[in-house]
């Protein structure tokens, strides 16, 4: 589970506190009418009066603030698992507003404070290896140094370095893509097993301004679908998997056990099958070849001549 509910608060008759753990020490929580987002060096406290809506998608929850004009200001929370309970709690606490109130600006109500996380020295060292990719790169470079220093001079050293040059990267690419493929399976499989398909209509578009370095930023538009679920509840869904202005109707499929999981209706079973087949027949062999090259590099450097 990616969300925790404070049982002490519930037992004591106080409002529950919904916690949404994120990666690298980041988190968000909702309690007593406030969404508190803790990032690396800043904490944002957002009252429900400042929030227009909350949108959940795979791996993230977006808190959109009320604005008078221009693109909406988005506070994004990246997390693992489902943010459905967090979205339901915040959405249920939003006040009912008329059009004039919705046009107000909620950004002035947000309280932001910088946080001193202590001495930057140890933290800087931790950040050097705080992700699998960084750790892999350091081990890769360390292997080069170890092979160059320890292997006997001559052809075997060149052979070991060439094998190591290609082995770990091929292994990393194969293993990384295979891991990503396997992790993408649970969502479509859940929709195949228990998903409910409904008709939806494009009613709006979510506007996002994307920075582009020193060049002019560019715009992205994502369609917002409105639909009524099987329980008669009116809902909306922002389709971030399909960019661009759209109109008309479409069929959406949602998971009743995880309402935040919504996708355009398709043959989810076929997608899962082809993902697993491609993983077994393509990605796993690629990783095996890379592992063989890496092992061969070590054997060439330290193995006996026979």
């Amino acid at each position: 589970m990616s969300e925790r509910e404070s049982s002490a608060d519930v037992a004591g008759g106080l409002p529950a506190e919904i916690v949404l753990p994120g990666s690298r020490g980041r988190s968000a929580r909702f309690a007593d009418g406030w969404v508190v987002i803790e990032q690396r060096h800043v904490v944002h406290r957002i009252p429900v009066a400042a929030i227009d809506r909350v949108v959940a998608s795979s791996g993230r929850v977006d808190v959109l603030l009320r604005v008078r004009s221009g693109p909406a200001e988005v506070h994004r929370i990246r997390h693992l698992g489902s943010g459905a309970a967090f979205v339901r709690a915040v959405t249920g606490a939003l006040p009912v507003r008329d059009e004039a109130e919705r046009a107000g600006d909620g950004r002035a109500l947000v309280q932001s404070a910088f946080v001193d996380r202590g001495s930057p020295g140890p933290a800087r060292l931790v950040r050097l290896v705080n992700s699998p990719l960084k750790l892999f790169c350091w081990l890769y470079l360390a292997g080069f140094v170890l092979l160059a220093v320890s292997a006997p001079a001559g052809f075997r050293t060149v052979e070991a370095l060439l094998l190591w040059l290609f082995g770990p990267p091929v292994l990393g690419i194969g293993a990384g893509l295979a891991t990503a493929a396997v992790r993408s399976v649970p969502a479509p499989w859940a929709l195949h097993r228990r998903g409910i398909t409904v008709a939806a209509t494009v009613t709006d578009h979510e506007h996002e301004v994307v920075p582009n370095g020193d060049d002019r930023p560019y715009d992205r538009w994502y369609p917002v679908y409105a639909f009524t679920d099987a329980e008669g509840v009116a809902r909306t869904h922002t389709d971030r998997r399909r960019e661009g202005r759209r109109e008309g109707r479409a069929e959406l499929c949602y998971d009743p056990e995880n309402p935040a999981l919504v996708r355009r209706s398709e043959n989810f079973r076929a997608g899962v099958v082809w993902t697993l087949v491609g993983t077994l027949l393509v990605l796993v062999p690629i990783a095996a070849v890379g592992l063989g090259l890496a092992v061969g590099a070590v054997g060439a450097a330290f193995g006996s001549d026979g």
Side-chain angles (χ1 to χ4, degrees):
M1 293 292 291
S2 65
E3 297 155 305
R4 298 191 301 270
E5 183 172 328
S6 174
S7 59
D9 288 346
V10 175
L14 299 175
E17 179 176 334
I18 306 297
V19 180
L20 193 64
S23 60
R24 302 180 185 179
R26 304 178 186 182
S27 65
R29 65 181 185 273
F30 174 70
D32 198 23
W34 289 81
V35 174
V36 181
I37 303 175
E38 297 184 1
Q39 298 176 339
R40 184 174 298 169
H41 296 296
V42 65
V43 176
H44 301 288
R45 301 185 73 251
I46 308 172
V48 293
I51 299 173
D52 179 59
R53 64 185 186 274
V54 183
V55 180
S57 58
S58 179
R60 67 171 181 259
V61 170
D62 292 341
V63 179
L64 288 81
L65 304 184
R66 296 187 296 116
V67 292
R68 288 193 177 90
S69 61
E73 180 172 324
V74 180
H75 289 267
R76 180 160 296 166
I77 309 158
R78 298 192 180 276
H79 63 92
L80 300 176
S82 167
F86 186 87
V87 172
R88 285 197 301 269
V90 178
T91 302
L94 295 181
V96 178
R97 307 184 182 97
D98 56 26
E99 290 299 325
E101 291 173 328
R102 287 179 60 88
D105 197 332
R107 291 173 293 186
L109 303 177
V110 178
Q111 302 175 6
S112 300
F114 289 95
V115 179
D116 184 5
R117 299 295 184 183
S119 173
R124 201 174 280 130
L125 294 177
V126 171
R127 285 198 294 272
L128 293 176
V129 292
N130 64 352
S131 73
L133 180 59
K134 292 180 182 179
L135 182 60
F136 178 84
C137 291
W138 283 112
L139 293 176
Y140 179 56
L141 294 175
F144 255 119
V145 174
L146 181 63
L147 292 175
V149 172
S150 304
F155 173 76
R156 287 177 56 186
T157 301
V158 176
E159 179 186 9
L161 292 177
L162 285 176
L163 290 173
W164 189 262
L165 175 66
F166 296 102
V170 173
L171 171 61
I173 292 173
L177 292 177
T179 301
V182 172
R183 290 181 61 180
S184 70
V185 165
W189 185 248
L191 292 175
H192 164 69
R193 290 180 57 245
R194 57 177 181 264
I196 298 176
T197 301
V198 295
T201 304
V202 177
T203 59
D204 197 0
H205 287 82
E206 184 175 313
H207 182 205
E208 181 177 349
V209 179
V210 182
N212 192 22
D214 295 332
D215 299 330
R216 182 179 179 181
Y218 58 93
D219 298 328
R220 283 180 178 171
W221 299 88
Y222 301 97
V224 179
Y225 291 91
F227 65 96
T228 302
D229 63 19
E231 298 179 356
V233 178
R235 297 176 52 189
T236 60
H237 167 67
T238 302
D239 188 1
R240 290 186 165 271
R241 298 166 65 89
R242 290 175 172 82
E243 182 183 344
R245 290 182 175 273
R246 301 174 185 271
E247 59 182 21
R249 294 169 64 83
E251 291 185 347
L252 300 182
C253 185
Y254 73 94
D255 181 2
E257 296 185 9
N258 179 17
L261 178 57
V262 183
R263 292 188 182 179
R264 287 282 292 266
S265 182
E266 60 185 65
N267 190 343
F268 297 110
R269 180 180 180 181
V272 169
V273 171
W274 281 111
T275 298
L276 295 178
V277 169
T279 300
L280 292 175
L281 297 184
V282 179
L283 300 180
V284 171
I286 289 176
V289 170
L291 179 60
L293 292 175
V295 172
V298 176
F302 301 104
S304 60
D305 293 331

